[in-house]
Amino acid sequence: MTIDPGDFIAVIGNNGAGKSTLLNTIAGTLPADAGHLTLAGHPVTKRSVAYRSHWLSRVFQDPKLGTAGELSVAQNLTLAASHTGSLSLRRYRRRGQTERYRKLLATLEMGLEDRLNVQVKYFSGGQRQALSLLMATLSQPDLLLLDEHTAALDPKTSREVMDLTQRIVTTHRLTTLMITHKLSDALRYGNRLLMVQDGQIKLDVRGAAKAALRQDQILQLFAE
Amino acid sequence: MLMTSLGQGLLWAPLVIGVFLTFRILDIPDLTTEGSFPLGAAVTISAMLAGASAITASLLGFLTGCVAGWVTGVLDTKLHMPSLLAGILTMTGLYSVNLHIMGKANIPLLNQKVLTAFLPATWSVTWQTIVVGGLVTGVVVILLILLFQTRLGLSLMATGNNPQMSAANGIATDRMVIIGYMVSNGCIALSGALIAQSNGYADIGMGIGTIVIGLASVLVGEIFLRGQRMGVRLLGMVLGAIIYRYLLTLAMGLGFPVNDLKLLSAVILVIVICLPLLQTKYRTHQQVTRYLNQIGVDQNATTSRVTSQSSAKGLLSGNSQRTSRVKGREFDD
């Protein structure tokens, strides 16, 4: 399977079909039993999660996992801004950083820009997930992994985060792989759709073919 | 009496800071303490007997503590042992190592110059202890504050708080945990070096109960001084170490025999764990009652149910999801 630059792929499939396995293997939290994985030209099959993070970012399903709750918004953003130099003995607070973070947070329209020094644990799931999304895109990754990132949110917040996702992915032209359980989201967003079943990719449609796809056709496939 | 406790507290402060680093920042209960504390003492006193100056010997003590921390860190991260077991293994191994370093179970200093001997001889021993303890602890606190302003310090905090997120943001979490263990046990060994010089000897049994002293002091410190800023938290630890000494002195003054000291420190730890829990429970109860009165509901049944749920956050329930989940289950029923 090849992910082309600029792809926005929605991955669907039953529980236990292998969606998360696919994503975790790419992210490095699961070792690959067989095969090879190349990220932006770098062979990473046997490399650590931290090494792979040079090219990819990830938003988790659980809003708590994507951010460090004890750390402030600004500290979380600093960690996400660069995936290198974590051993550096230079001060992490840089001049002009506050202004930059403020502007970025203002794009979320959640009022987070005035709470830069508040610990993230005091925010709601929706706010934390929006922050995770912003953090994941801050390092301009070659690949963005979204792991059912709206599943733990209420319907309204879920829609807001999904809209935000669409906006960010389009503005930064991010290559994205999104797992979702919502068929409507899978059909509405992205230029390519993957359907996983029994550990195999059952369907891989893109472009016009994907746009023409209807919900009942997919349900039909699920039933088979 | 008060001044003696202050001096002793300052000598114990690096140990409390060390325990704080693993227990609060990395969210790991590290039992290596019981071995690295006498290790620092053994190395320092042996080095001084071999002719090293008190400063060199103390720094050597610090460095060997770091090595002990490295061992536990490697056992924990690279060999994937539970951190409690990793600490127990290092601690047990260190007992023999310490005996080898010292040659026998207790080595006294003869007439070597200890750190306090660098101060004017006209000062009383109490004041000399306070100044030396204050200086060393001050340097440790300042260096740590500086460390936590660097990217490395931020990565350490992030790793302890949320390892998955840290790894996903490019932090080599194993390396961070090992560094944390090293700095922590270095501080603990430094404390051992100071105490041994103050006592005038190193003893194989001086590590027993140090983890309880450390944890109790951390909790006491947090009762008096809490905050988000690292400087405040570290000062809280120093305060905790001092107040803990006062508590012990107070208890001894009540007539407890020296043999009961360890039992006493265990009881103090139990009390300081329970106290904040009861405090939270009481406060929540008050809040809920006030709220229910406000909205005009008077149902004792509701009050008690809500209270028991909201007080589920204990002092020991750490930072990470892992610990709070386990603790949450314990208190949920």
Side-chain angles (χ1 to χ4, degrees):
Chain A
M1 173 185 154
T2 308
I3 301 176
D4 299 318
D7 268 358
F8 183 172
I9 309 175
V11 185
I12 53 170
N14 292 320
N15 288 327
K19 305 184 297 294
S20 296
T21 308
L22 173 70
L23 192 127
N24 285 328
T25 315
I26 298 176
T29 37
L30 269 184
D33 291 330
H36 298 283
L37 190 72
T38 313
L39 269 177
H42 303 265
V44 294
T45 318
K46 298 215 179 300
R47 304 304 294 262
S48 68
V49 178
Y51 179 77
R52 297 179 196 207
S53 76
H54 291 181
W55 304 282
L56 63 82
S57 285
R58 177 173 186 182
V59 180
F60 296 86
Q61 178 178 359
D62 182 353
K64 287 199 178 89
L65 278 185
T67 45
E70 292 292 321
L71 302 185
S72 70
V73 177
Q75 286 174 323
N76 270 288
L77 286 170
T78 307
L79 284 172
S82 152
H83 286 180
T84 53
S86 60
L87 283 167
S88 157
L89 281 175
R90 289 181 60 188
R91 286 171 70 95
Y92 65 81
R93 255 179 262 251
R94 298 283 160 78
R95 207 173 296 163
Q97 171 183 293
T98 314
E99 263 321 296
R100 187 169 155 241
Y101 290 165
R102 253 178 217 287
K103 272 188 203 139
L104 278 169
L105 288 166
T107 61
L108 297 182
E109 293 163 10
M110 284 183 167
L112 293 184
E113 60 274 21
D114 299 322
R115 300 162 81 183
L116 264 178
N117 291 317
V118 178
Q119 283 170 300
V120 174
K121 65 178 174 188
Y122 295 116
F123 294 138
S124 70
Q127 288 171 319
R128 282 183 84 155
Q129 205 62 327
L131 182 60
S132 302
L133 198 59
L134 182 69
M135 285 166 60
T137 53
L138 210 52
S139 58
Q140 292 290 340
D142 293 292
L143 178 62
L144 173 66
L145 299 175
L146 305 172
D147 185 3
E148 289 184 59
H149 68 305
T150 60
L153 306 173
D154 66 65
K156 182 169 168 285
T157 318
S158 162
R159 203 173 326 115
E160 283 169 8
V161 171
M162 212 42 239
D163 286 342
L164 181 69
T165 310
Q166 170 76 356
R167 212 165 69 218
I168 292 180
V169 168
T170 333
T171 347
H172 299 285
R173 290 198 195 84
L174 292 173
T175 311
T176 308
L177 186 78
M178 175 179 77
I179 291 186
T180 178
H181 266 301
K182 282 190 206 145
L183 283 185
S184 54
D185 281 354
L187 289 170
R188 190 160 150 213
Y189 301 103
N191 66 333
R192 187 170 162 191
L193 187 137
L194 281 185
M195 185 173 165
V196 184
Q197 208 157 30
D198 301 323
Q200 300 298 322
I201 293 172
K202 193 170 179 187
L203 182 71
D204 183 356
V205 287
R206 58 182 90 199
K210 193 247 172 192
L213 210 58
R214 287 194 327 273
Q215 193 148 342
D216 49 340
Q217 290 175 306
I218 295 181
L219 285 173
Q220 187 84 44
L221 276 170
F222 267 116
E224 276 171 21
Chain B
M1 198 64 161
L2 283 178
M3 287 324 227
T4 318
S5 301
L6 172 63
Q8 287 295 313
L10 286 170
L11 297 185
W12 283 95
L15 170 115
V16 179
I17 290 171
V19 172
F20 165 80
L21 288 178
T22 39
F23 185 57
R24 280 300 186 223
I25 302 295
L26 289 183
D27 201 20
I28 293 169
D30 178 24
L31 294 180
T32 319
T33 312
E34 306 248 326
S36 51
F37 184 79
L39 174 69
V43 168
T44 305
I45 299 297
S46 303
M48 285 169 75
L49 288 174
S53 83
I55 297 175
T56 322
S58 304
L59 283 177
L60 207 60
F62 173 84
L63 289 178
T64 43
C66 294
V67 176
W70 179 82
V71 173
T72 310
V74 169
L75 291 179
D76 182 342
T77 58
K78 302 293 177 200
L79 303 181
H80 302 288
M81 286 183 192
S83 38
L84 270 176
L85 182 60
I88 290 173
L89 289 174
T90 317
M91 166 187 114
T92 309
L94 278 176
Y95 188 86
S96 298
V97 173
N98 291 341
L99 271 177
H100 273 295
I101 292 172
M102 299 201 288
K104 51 186 195 248
N106 183 305
I107 45 168
L109 280 175
L110 304 171
N111 46 8
Q112 283 78 12
K113 237 177 133 186
V114 291
L115 279 176
T116 47
F118 288 95
L119 297 169
T122 47
W123 298 7
S124 71
V125 178
T126 313
W127 272 106
Q128 288 179 333
T129 313
I130 293 174
V131 171
V132 166
L135 276 177
V136 175
T137 302
V139 168
V140 170
V141 168
I142 289 171
L143 285 179
L144 284 176
I145 290 177
L146 288 176
L147 172 70
F148 283 108
Q149 283 174 355
T150 64
R151 180 64 193 260
L152 175 66
L154 186 62
S155 306
L156 274 169
M157 289 192 277
T159 303
N161 186 213
N162 188 341
Q164 286 103 321
M165 172 265 192
S166 303
N169 281 303
I171 298 173
T173 47
D174 284 359
R175 207 176 295 166
M176 288 301 151
V177 170
I178 294 176
I179 292 175
Y181 270 119
M182 288 174 72
V183 178
S184 158
N185 283 290
C187 291
I188 291 164
L190 181 64
S191 187
L194 294 179
I195 295 291
Q197 291 180 51
S198 161
N199 290 348
Y201 61 83
D203 189 275
I204 189 69
M206 66 193 285
I208 299 171
T210 43
I211 186 68
V212 172
I213 296 176
L215 288 176
S217 307
V218 167
L219 296 177
V220 169
E222 285 178 346
I223 291 175
F224 288 94
L225 208 56
R226 309 192 78 160
Q228 198 184 331
R229 296 175 68 95
M230 192 48 72
V232 176
R233 295 179 81 180
L234 287 172
L235 281 183
M237 293 309 110
V238 178
L239 197 66
I242 296 168
I243 294 174
Y244 185 81
R245 283 294 125 191
Y246 280 133
L247 287 178
L248 274 191
T249 318
L250 214 67
M252 301 290 281
L254 290 176
F256 283 101
V258 184
N259 283 350
D260 290 348
L261 212 61
K262 298 278 183 246
L263 180 61
L264 210 62
S265 47
V267 171
I268 292 182
L269 179 55
V270 172
I271 294 175
V272 293
I273 290 174
C274 292
L275 211 64
L277 274 178
L278 292 174
Q279 211 179 3
T280 324
K281 207 166 182 169
Y282 177 73
R283 274 202 204 128
T284 320
H285 183 84
Q286 292 252 308
Q287 270 174 3
V288 172
T289 321
R290 210 178 310 136
Y291 175 68
L292 288 179
N293 282 340
Q294 249 174 27
I295 60 171
V297 183
D298 183 27
Q299 278 180 337
N300 281 328
T302 325
T303 317
S304 62
R305 203 178 65 234
V306 175
T307 316
S308 65
Q309 276 174 0
S310 4
S311 62
K313 217 176 94 192
L315 249 202
L316 278 175
S317 59
N319 304 332
S320 82
Q321 281 86 25
R322 173 167 48 97
T323 332
S324 41
R325 209 168 52 230
V326 176
K327 285 290 162 188
R329 209 183 302 138
E330 255 175 53
F331 290 109
D332 258 347
D333 46 16

